[in-house]
Amino acid sequence: MYVPEIKITEVKLLSDNWYQLHKFTYEYRKKDGTWETQHREAYDRGNGACILLYNPPQKTVILTRQFRLPTYVNGNTTGMMIEACAGLLDRDNAEDCIKRETEEETGYQVRDVRKLFEIYMSPGSVTETVTFFVGEYASEMKINEGGGVASEQENIEVLEFDFETAYNMIATGEIKDAKTIMLLQYAKINNLA
């Protein structure tokens, strides 16, 4: 397997508004041994985690709905997205992050989560990795109404679906979020719900 040699020659900060956008200039040694100068931009928003909450006895899952500006400006007429609970790690490890996010967004306090995998969601332009989890929930784990953190301008609606209904929402286009689709497919393949 060929592994190219890379020499970064310049890093320019283009934006430090919400997160950081850098322009990289680098030398790339090709398979034939010649060098080529390339320029790419990379958006660094930190790493994240996501979870599918599922209830085997009831055969249900918890998802969220919230407004996502990038989808709105790219043709999603309402900007609303149905998604699995997720968040940025900030200074936490992935497991602590997803437990915190689950409580903030859904109101459920989960104790046991299981890590599935860690992936790059958009490796052509974003540095972020996302760690995927699943965790069981039950009604006695609900400690508040969820909805997100007001100081972070989160307006999150908590949704509970029959698993098959949620899974079928992929085909109907009601669920278009990649991490949610991957988690629902994982649950289907592994008979979680």
Side-chain angles (χ1 to χ4, degrees):
M1 175 178 75
Y2 173 72
V3 178
E5 189 176 339
I6 305 294
K7 295 178 186 174
I8 296 177
T9 58
E10 183 181 9
V11 179
K12 182 177 180 183
L13 181 65
L14 301 179
S15 176
D16 192 12
N17 187 20
W18 190 251
Y19 297 107
Q20 292 188 337
L21 176 63
H22 291 94
K23 180 178 181 181
F24 292 87
T25 302
Y26 58 96
E27 300 296 320
Y28 180 98
R29 188 172 187 166
K30 299 188 300 185
K31 238 180 190 177
D32 66 6
T34 62
W35 288 88
E36 180 176 75
T37 300
Q38 296 187 1
H39 309 275
R40 298 290 186 274
E41 294 177 4
Y43 189 58
D44 184 354
R45 61 185 303 264
N47 296 323
C50 63
I51 189 169
L52 180 67
L53 297 175
Y54 67 99
N55 183 309
Q58 293 184 0
K59 298 187 183 320
T60 56
V61 293
I62 296 289
L63 299 174
T64 64
R65 182 182 1 238
Q66 61 184 306
F67 177 76
R68 296 297 197 182
L69 177 68
T71 73
Y72 180 77
V73 299
N74 193 30
N76 179 1
T77 57
T78 66
M80 300 301 285
M81 293 289 289
I82 296 174
E83 306 176 28
C85 174
L88 294 176
L89 301 187
D90 298 322
R91 291 178 181 88
D92 288 336
N93 64 51
E95 185 174 324
D96 290 341
C97 165
I98 205 56
K99 288 178 179 178
R100 180 191 74 240
E101 289 292 334
T102 298
E103 187 174 324
E104 290 174 0
E105 291 189 7
T106 71
Y108 286 89
Q109 189 174 55
V110 293
R111 297 175 237 5
D112 298 315
V113 297
R114 184 165 45 102
K115 179 181 174 181
L116 304 178
F117 41 79
E118 183 178 315
I119 64 166
Y120 288 97
M121 291 296 290
S122 188
S125 59
V126 181
T127 62
E128 175 187 41
T129 62
V130 178
T131 305
F132 284 63
F133 292 90
V134 291
E136 291 188 32
Y137 77 95
S139 58
E140 61 270 11
M141 297 169 141
K142 190 163 181 76
I143 61 169
N144 64 56
E145 293 305 308
V149 178
S151 64
E152 296 177 10
Q153 297 179 310
E154 293 180 322
N155 298 292
I156 297 169
E157 181 183 357
V158 181
L159 307 170
E160 185 174 36
F161 291 108
D162 168 81
F163 175 77
E164 288 302 323
T165 299
Y167 188 77
N168 291 331
M169 291 169 75
I170 298 169
T172 65
E174 295 169 88
I175 293 179
K176 293 183 177 184
D177 175 63
K179 67 186 176 301
T180 306
I181 292 170
M182 293 167 71
L183 284 166
L184 289 169
Q185 288 177 335
Y186 178 90
K188 181 77 164 177
I189 291 167
N190 293 280
N191 297 313
L192 296 186

